[in-house]
Amino acid sequence: MSHPQEPTAAEAQTAIADEFAFFGDWTERYQYLIDLGRQLPAFPEQDKTEEHRVHGCQSMVWLIPSGDASRLHFAAASDSAIVSGLIALVLRVYSDRPAQEIVDTQPDFVQQIGLAKHLSPTRSNGLAAMLARIKAHASGVLAA
């Protein structure tokens, strides 16, 4: 049995857009985000350190990269339910991918599902900070 190819970052973004299109309004979409956030893997308390903190977020967000240029993995957590949902989306697009794909992938899903319009400025800034941190890590790995 050969395993089906994992979806690319672009395919993951399309799937996210399709899922969100299914919901009629933002009340349902926020609920979906919260549900996604609840499904994030457990994040060890001892890793919730200043070193791993993503600044620019109103809520607390921690992000830990691992792996190498061929496949970078990101673990992340937040103390906010909605931000945890955003993390789940970001990880779906960017985690467990080659560094080059991470650098090359624009976060189109943010526009496609209307997040840009429906997030508070502080949450938007937090999302941008998280994406910047992921891309900076991938760039650094490629440059090494």
PDB file of all heavy atoms in Angstrom, residues 37-64:
ATOM      1  N   GLY A  37      -8.985  24.699  17.460  1.00  0.00           N
ATOM      2  CA  GLY A  37      -7.991  24.995  18.479  1.00  0.00           C
ATOM      3  C   GLY A  37      -7.956  23.940  19.571  1.00  0.00           C
ATOM      4  O   GLY A  37      -6.900  23.600  20.102  1.00  0.00           O
ATOM      5  N   ARG A  38      -9.131  23.404  19.890  1.00  0.00           N
ATOM      6  CA  ARG A  38      -9.207  22.367  20.932  1.00  0.00           C
ATOM      7  C   ARG A  38      -8.519  21.079  20.490  1.00  0.00           C
ATOM      8  O   ARG A  38      -8.184  20.246  21.319  1.00  0.00           O
ATOM      9  CB  ARG A  38     -10.667  22.048  21.232  1.00  0.00           C
ATOM     10  CG  ARG A  38     -11.361  23.159  21.974  1.00  0.00           C
ATOM     11  CD  ARG A  38     -12.614  22.644  22.658  1.00  0.00           C
ATOM     12  NE  ARG A  38     -13.291  23.740  23.326  1.00  0.00           N
ATOM     13  CZ  ARG A  38     -14.479  24.225  22.937  1.00  0.00           C
ATOM     14  NH1 ARG A  38     -15.103  23.703  21.911  1.00  0.00           N
ATOM     15  NH2 ARG A  38     -15.020  25.227  23.581  1.00  0.00           N
ATOM     16  N   GLN A  39      -8.361  20.905  19.182  1.00  0.00           N
ATOM     17  CA  GLN A  39      -7.764  19.665  18.669  1.00  0.00           C
ATOM     18  C   GLN A  39      -6.235  19.757  18.538  1.00  0.00           C
ATOM     19  O   GLN A  39      -5.597  18.800  18.120  1.00  0.00           O
ATOM     20  CB  GLN A  39      -8.369  19.326  17.303  1.00  0.00           C
ATOM     21  CG  GLN A  39      -9.849  19.006  17.369  1.00  0.00           C
ATOM     22  CD  GLN A  39     -10.516  19.062  16.000  1.00  0.00           C
ATOM     23  OE1 GLN A  39      -9.859  18.884  14.978  1.00  0.00           O
ATOM     24  NE2 GLN A  39     -11.803  19.339  15.967  1.00  0.00           N
ATOM     25  N   LEU A  40      -5.673  20.909  18.875  1.00  0.00           N
ATOM     26  CA  LEU A  40      -4.213  21.026  18.790  1.00  0.00           C
ATOM     27  C   LEU A  40      -3.568  20.005  19.724  1.00  0.00           C
ATOM     28  O   LEU A  40      -4.084  19.742  20.800  1.00  0.00           O
ATOM     29  CB  LEU A  40      -3.759  22.425  19.228  1.00  0.00           C
ATOM     30  CG  LEU A  40      -3.887  23.561  18.230  1.00  0.00           C
ATOM     31  CD1 LEU A  40      -3.498  24.866  18.909  1.00  0.00           C
ATOM     32  CD2 LEU A  40      -3.012  23.327  17.010  1.00  0.00           C
ATOM     33  N   PRO A  41      -2.414  19.465  19.317  1.00  0.00           N
ATOM     34  CA  PRO A  41      -1.708  18.555  20.225  1.00  0.00           C
ATOM     35  C   PRO A  41      -1.355  19.269  21.531  1.00  0.00           C
ATOM     36  O   PRO A  41      -1.161  20.483  21.534  1.00  0.00           O
ATOM     37  CB  PRO A  41      -0.432  18.191  19.458  1.00  0.00           C
ATOM     38  CG  PRO A  41      -0.647  18.635  18.062  1.00  0.00           C
ATOM     39  CD  PRO A  41      -1.715  19.683  18.058  1.00  0.00           C
ATOM     40  N   ALA A  42      -1.295  18.515  22.609  1.00  0.00           N
ATOM     41  CA  ALA A  42      -0.931  19.092  23.904  1.00  0.00           C
ATOM     42  C   ALA A  42       0.441  19.752  23.794  1.00  0.00           C
ATOM     43  O   ALA A  42       1.330  19.239  23.126  1.00  0.00           O
ATOM     44  CB  ALA A  42      -0.913  18.004  24.961  1.00  0.00           C
ATOM     45  N   PHE A  43       0.579  20.874  24.450  1.00  0.00           N
ATOM     46  CA  PHE A  43       1.827  21.639  24.419  1.00  0.00           C
ATOM     47  C   PHE A  43       2.383  21.636  25.841  1.00  0.00           C
ATOM     48  O   PHE A  43       1.719  22.091  26.761  1.00  0.00           O
ATOM     49  CB  PHE A  43       1.527  23.069  23.951  1.00  0.00           C
ATOM     50  CG  PHE A  43       2.741  23.874  23.599  1.00  0.00           C
ATOM     51  CD1 PHE A  43       3.236  23.871  22.314  1.00  0.00           C
ATOM     52  CD2 PHE A  43       3.373  24.671  24.555  1.00  0.00           C
ATOM     53  CE1 PHE A  43       4.343  24.641  21.969  1.00  0.00           C
ATOM     54  CE2 PHE A  43       4.479  25.438  24.228  1.00  0.00           C
ATOM     55  CZ  PHE A  43       4.963  25.418  22.925  1.00  0.00           C
ATOM     56  N   PRO A  44       3.601  21.100  26.035  1.00  0.00           N
ATOM     57  CA  PRO A  44       4.120  20.951  27.399  1.00  0.00           C
ATOM     58  C   PRO A  44       4.241  22.286  28.130  1.00  0.00           C
ATOM     59  O   PRO A  44       4.750  23.258  27.562  1.00  0.00           O
ATOM     60  CB  PRO A  44       5.510  20.329  27.193  1.00  0.00           C
ATOM     61  CG  PRO A  44       5.525  19.834  25.787  1.00  0.00           C
ATOM     62  CD  PRO A  44       4.539  20.644  25.016  1.00  0.00           C
ATOM     63  N   GLU A  45       3.755  22.324  29.353  1.00  0.00           N
ATOM     64  CA  GLU A  45       3.822  23.552  30.155  1.00  0.00           C
ATOM     65  C   GLU A  45       5.248  24.089  30.242  1.00  0.00           C
ATOM     66  O   GLU A  45       5.464  25.292  30.204  1.00  0.00           O
ATOM     67  CB  GLU A  45       3.288  23.296  31.576  1.00  0.00           C
ATOM     68  CG  GLU A  45       1.779  23.234  31.677  1.00  0.00           C
ATOM     69  CD  GLU A  45       1.071  24.507  31.230  1.00  0.00           C
ATOM     70  OE1 GLU A  45       1.531  25.613  31.597  1.00  0.00           O
ATOM     71  OE2 GLU A  45       0.065  24.400  30.515  1.00  0.00           O
ATOM     72  N   GLN A  46       6.225  23.180  30.362  1.00  0.00           N
ATOM     73  CA  GLN A  46       7.604  23.650  30.552  1.00  0.00           C
ATOM     74  C   GLN A  46       8.153  24.343  29.300  1.00  0.00           C
ATOM     75  O   GLN A  46       9.171  25.008  29.358  1.00  0.00           O
ATOM     76  CB  GLN A  46       8.544  22.508  30.986  1.00  0.00           C
ATOM     77  CG  GLN A  46       8.803  21.457  29.924  1.00  0.00           C
ATOM     78  CD  GLN A  46       7.862  20.250  30.057  1.00  0.00           C
ATOM     79  OE1 GLN A  46       6.780  20.386  30.627  1.00  0.00           O
ATOM     80  NE2 GLN A  46       8.277  19.109  29.538  1.00  0.00           N
ATOM     81  N   ASP A  47       7.473  24.183  28.154  1.00  0.00           N
ATOM     82  CA  ASP A  47       7.916  24.856  26.929  1.00  0.00           C
ATOM     83  C   ASP A  47       7.298  26.239  26.767  1.00  0.00           C
ATOM     84  O   ASP A  47       7.606  26.964  25.826  1.00  0.00           O
ATOM     85  CB  ASP A  47       7.580  24.002  25.699  1.00  0.00           C
ATOM     86  CG  ASP A  47       8.482  22.775  25.612  1.00  0.00           C
ATOM     87  OD1 ASP A  47       9.570  22.797  26.217  1.00  0.00           O
ATOM     88  OD2 ASP A  47       8.085  21.803  24.953  1.00  0.00           O
ATOM     89  N   LYS A  48       6.395  26.601  27.682  1.00  0.00           N
ATOM     90  CA  LYS A  48       5.766  27.926  27.607  1.00  0.00           C
ATOM     91  C   LYS A  48       6.705  28.946  28.246  1.00  0.00           C
ATOM     92  O   LYS A  48       6.457  29.481  29.320  1.00  0.00           O
ATOM     93  CB  LYS A  48       4.397  27.901  28.284  1.00  0.00           C
ATOM     94  CG  LYS A  48       3.410  27.036  27.526  1.00  0.00           C
ATOM     95  CD  LYS A  48       2.035  27.030  28.169  1.00  0.00           C
ATOM     96  CE  LYS A  48       1.060  26.198  27.331  1.00  0.00           C
ATOM     97  NZ  LYS A  48      -0.260  26.129  27.948  1.00  0.00           N
ATOM     98  N   THR A  49       7.807  29.188  27.543  1.00  0.00           N
ATOM     99  CA  THR A  49       8.845  30.076  28.071  1.00  0.00           C
ATOM    100  C   THR A  49       8.928  31.342  27.234  1.00  0.00           C
ATOM    101  O   THR A  49       8.409  31.400  26.102  1.00  0.00           O
ATOM    102  CB  THR A  49      10.217  29.373  28.016  1.00  0.00           C
ATOM    103  OG1 THR A  49      10.496  29.061  26.639  1.00  0.00           O
ATOM    104  CG2 THR A  49      10.220  28.101  28.834  1.00  0.00           C
ATOM    105  N   GLU A  50       9.603  32.325  27.772  1.00  0.00           N
ATOM    106  CA  GLU A  50       9.789  33.605  27.072  1.00  0.00           C
ATOM    107  C   GLU A  50      10.506  33.378  25.741  1.00  0.00           C
ATOM    108  O   GLU A  50      10.196  34.014  24.731  1.00  0.00           O
ATOM    109  CB  GLU A  50      10.611  34.526  27.986  1.00  0.00           C
ATOM    110  CG  GLU A  50      10.648  35.966  27.525  1.00  0.00           C
ATOM    111  CD  GLU A  50       9.276  36.604  27.329  1.00  0.00           C
ATOM    112  OE1 GLU A  50       8.323  36.280  28.076  1.00  0.00           O
ATOM    113  OE2 GLU A  50       9.158  37.425  26.401  1.00  0.00           O
ATOM    114  N   GLU A  51      11.455  32.458  25.738  1.00  0.00           N
ATOM    115  CA  GLU A  51      12.236  32.163  24.534  1.00  0.00           C
ATOM    116  C   GLU A  51      11.343  31.733  23.365  1.00  0.00           C
ATOM    117  O   GLU A  51      11.602  32.042  22.208  1.00  0.00           O
ATOM    118  CB  GLU A  51      13.235  31.051  24.877  1.00  0.00           C
ATOM    119  CG  GLU A  51      14.059  30.554  23.712  1.00  0.00           C
ATOM    120  CD  GLU A  51      14.709  29.193  23.990  1.00  0.00           C
ATOM    121  OE1 GLU A  51      14.566  28.680  25.114  1.00  0.00           O
ATOM    122  OE2 GLU A  51      15.332  28.664  23.061  1.00  0.00           O
ATOM    123  N   HIS A  52      10.275  31.009  23.672  1.00  0.00           N
ATOM    124  CA  HIS A  52       9.390  30.481  22.629  1.00  0.00           C
ATOM    125  C   HIS A  52       8.189  31.384  22.354  1.00  0.00           C
ATOM    126  O   HIS A  52       7.363  31.075  21.511  1.00  0.00           O
ATOM    127  CB  HIS A  52       8.876  29.087  23.030  1.00  0.00           C
ATOM    128  CG  HIS A  52       9.962  28.074  23.132  1.00  0.00           C
ATOM    129  ND1 HIS A  52      10.041  27.167  24.160  1.00  0.00           N
ATOM    130  CD2 HIS A  52      11.039  27.845  22.345  1.00  0.00           C
ATOM    131  CE1 HIS A  52      11.123  26.410  23.991  1.00  0.00           C
ATOM    132  NE2 HIS A  52      11.737  26.808  22.896  1.00  0.00           N
ATOM    133  N   ARG A  53       8.104  32.483  23.098  1.00  0.00           N
ATOM    134  CA  ARG A  53       6.932  33.323  22.958  1.00  0.00           C
ATOM    135  C   ARG A  53       6.972  34.133  21.668  1.00  0.00           C
ATOM    136  O   ARG A  53       8.019  34.625  21.275  1.00  0.00           O
ATOM    137  CB  ARG A  53       6.827  34.265  24.144  1.00  0.00           C
ATOM    138  CG  ARG A  53       5.382  34.591  24.400  1.00  0.00           C
ATOM    139  CD  ARG A  53       5.177  35.360  25.664  1.00  0.00           C
ATOM    140  NE  ARG A  53       4.235  36.382  25.280  1.00  0.00           N
ATOM    141  CZ  ARG A  53       4.253  37.614  25.686  1.00  0.00           C
ATOM    142  NH1 ARG A  53       5.153  38.016  26.525  1.00  0.00           N
ATOM    143  NH2 ARG A  53       3.358  38.468  25.248  1.00  0.00           N
ATOM    144  N   VAL A  54       5.833  34.240  21.011  1.00  0.00           N
ATOM    145  CA  VAL A  54       5.715  35.089  19.813  1.00  0.00           C
ATOM    146  C   VAL A  54       5.208  36.440  20.285  1.00  0.00           C
ATOM    147  O   VAL A  54       4.119  36.547  20.838  1.00  0.00           O
ATOM    148  CB  VAL A  54       4.720  34.485  18.796  1.00  0.00           C
ATOM    149  CG1 VAL A  54       4.563  35.415  17.595  1.00  0.00           C
ATOM    150  CG2 VAL A  54       5.172  33.106  18.358  1.00  0.00           C
ATOM    151  N   HIS A  55       6.008  37.474  20.092  1.00  0.00           N
ATOM    152  CA  HIS A  55       5.588  38.804  20.524  1.00  0.00           C
ATOM    153  C   HIS A  55       4.752  39.454  19.436  1.00  0.00           C
ATOM    154  O   HIS A  55       4.844  39.114  18.276  1.00  0.00           O
ATOM    155  CB  HIS A  55       6.805  39.639  20.891  1.00  0.00           C
ATOM    156  CG  HIS A  55       7.480  39.100  22.109  1.00  0.00           C
ATOM    157  ND1 HIS A  55       7.077  39.406  23.381  1.00  0.00           N
ATOM    158  CD2 HIS A  55       8.492  38.205  22.249  1.00  0.00           C
ATOM    159  CE1 HIS A  55       7.824  38.748  24.249  1.00  0.00           C
ATOM    160  NE2 HIS A  55       8.693  38.014  23.588  1.00  0.00           N
ATOM    161  N   GLY A  56       3.921  40.388  19.818  1.00  0.00           N
ATOM    162  CA  GLY A  56       3.034  41.025  18.856  1.00  0.00           C
ATOM    163  C   GLY A  56       1.634  40.460  18.982  1.00  0.00           C
ATOM    164  O   GLY A  56       0.706  40.923  18.338  1.00  0.00           O
ATOM    165  N   CYS A  57       1.468  39.457  19.825  1.00  0.00           N
ATOM    166  CA  CYS A  57       0.143  38.882  20.059  1.00  0.00           C
ATOM    167  C   CYS A  57      -0.375  39.431  21.381  1.00  0.00           C
ATOM    168  O   CYS A  57       0.370  39.518  22.347  1.00  0.00           O
ATOM    169  CB  CYS A  57       0.221  37.362  20.175  1.00  0.00           C
ATOM    170  SG  CYS A  57       0.979  36.591  18.756  1.00  0.00           S
ATOM    171  N   GLN A  58      -1.650  39.767  21.400  1.00  0.00           N
ATOM    172  CA  GLN A  58      -2.275  40.225  22.635  1.00  0.00           C
ATOM    173  C   GLN A  58      -2.359  39.037  23.604  1.00  0.00           C
ATOM    174  O   GLN A  58      -2.051  39.149  24.779  1.00  0.00           O
ATOM    175  CB  GLN A  58      -3.672  40.749  22.317  1.00  0.00           C
ATOM    176  CG  GLN A  58      -4.459  41.209  23.525  1.00  0.00           C
ATOM    177  CD  GLN A  58      -5.872  41.579  23.148  1.00  0.00           C
ATOM    178  OE1 GLN A  58      -6.446  40.997  22.232  1.00  0.00           O
ATOM    179  NE2 GLN A  58      -6.443  42.530  23.849  1.00  0.00           N
ATOM    180  N   SER A  59      -2.779  37.906  23.079  1.00  0.00           N
ATOM    181  CA  SER A  59      -2.809  36.703  23.906  1.00  0.00           C
ATOM    182  C   SER A  59      -1.412  36.082  23.896  1.00  0.00           C
ATOM    183  O   SER A  59      -0.566  36.446  23.091  1.00  0.00           O
ATOM    184  CB  SER A  59      -3.828  35.708  23.361  1.00  0.00           C
ATOM    185  OG  SER A  59      -3.626  35.536  21.986  1.00  0.00           O
ATOM    186  N   MET A  60      -1.191  35.157  24.801  1.00  0.00           N
ATOM    187  CA  MET A  60       0.094  34.478  24.847  1.00  0.00           C
ATOM    188  C   MET A  60       0.137  33.420  23.747  1.00  0.00           C
ATOM    189  O   MET A  60      -0.806  32.647  23.591  1.00  0.00           O
ATOM    190  CB  MET A  60       0.270  33.780  26.192  1.00  0.00           C
ATOM    191  CG  MET A  60       0.245  34.725  27.371  1.00  0.00           C
ATOM    192  SD  MET A  60       1.723  35.748  27.457  1.00  0.00           S
ATOM    193  CE  MET A  60       2.843  34.624  28.289  1.00  0.00           C
ATOM    194  N   VAL A  61       1.220  33.426  22.977  1.00  0.00           N
ATOM    195  CA  VAL A  61       1.420  32.403  21.947  1.00  0.00           C
ATOM    196  C   VAL A  61       2.850  31.901  22.057  1.00  0.00           C
ATOM    197  O   VAL A  61       3.773  32.692  22.203  1.00  0.00           O
ATOM    198  CB  VAL A  61       1.193  32.968  20.526  1.00  0.00           C
ATOM    199  CG1 VAL A  61       1.564  31.941  19.459  1.00  0.00           C
ATOM    200  CG2 VAL A  61      -0.263  33.395  20.343  1.00  0.00           C
ATOM    201  N   TRP A  62       2.993  30.584  22.018  1.00  0.00           N
ATOM    202  CA  TRP A  62       4.319  29.969  22.041  1.00  0.00           C
ATOM    203  C   TRP A  62       4.481  29.132  20.787  1.00  0.00           C
ATOM    204  O   TRP A  62       3.528  28.481  20.336  1.00  0.00           O
ATOM    205  CB  TRP A  62       4.482  29.062  23.262  1.00  0.00           C
ATOM    206  CG  TRP A  62       4.335  29.805  24.550  1.00  0.00           C
ATOM    207  CD1 TRP A  62       5.312  30.452  25.254  1.00  0.00           C
ATOM    208  CD2 TRP A  62       3.124  29.992  25.302  1.00  0.00           C
ATOM    209  NE1 TRP A  62       4.783  31.018  26.387  1.00  0.00           N
ATOM    210  CE2 TRP A  62       3.441  30.755  26.440  1.00  0.00           C
ATOM    211  CE3 TRP A  62       1.795  29.592  25.101  1.00  0.00           C
ATOM    212  CZ2 TRP A  62       2.496  31.123  27.386  1.00  0.00           C
ATOM    213  CZ3 TRP A  62       0.848  29.955  26.034  1.00  0.00           C
ATOM    214  CH2 TRP A  62       1.199  30.720  27.169  1.00  0.00           C
ATOM    215  N   LEU A  63       5.682  29.149  20.218  1.00  0.00           N
ATOM    216  CA  LEU A  63       5.953  28.441  18.969  1.00  0.00           C
ATOM    217  C   LEU A  63       7.331  27.793  19.061  1.00  0.00           C
ATOM    218  O   LEU A  63       8.307  28.465  19.395  1.00  0.00           O
ATOM    219  CB  LEU A  63       5.917  29.440  17.807  1.00  0.00           C
ATOM    220  CG  LEU A  63       6.197  28.896  16.411  1.00  0.00           C
ATOM    221  CD1 LEU A  63       5.001  28.096  15.902  1.00  0.00           C
ATOM    222  CD2 LEU A  63       6.480  30.038  15.453  1.00  0.00           C
ATOM    223  N   ILE A  64       7.380  26.504  18.770  1.00  0.00           N
ATOM    224  CA  ILE A  64       8.661  25.790  18.808  1.00  0.00           C
ATOM    225  C   ILE A  64       8.903  25.095  17.474  1.00  0.00           C
ATOM    226  O   ILE A  64       8.137  24.208  17.084  1.00  0.00           O
ATOM    227  CB  ILE A  64       8.674  24.732  19.924  1.00  0.00           C
ATOM    228  CG1 ILE A  64       8.464  25.413  21.274  1.00  0.00           C
ATOM    229  CG2 ILE A  64       9.989  23.960  19.904  1.00  0.00           C
ATOM    230  CD1 ILE A  64       8.528  24.460  22.438  1.00  0.00           C
TER     231      ILE A  64
END
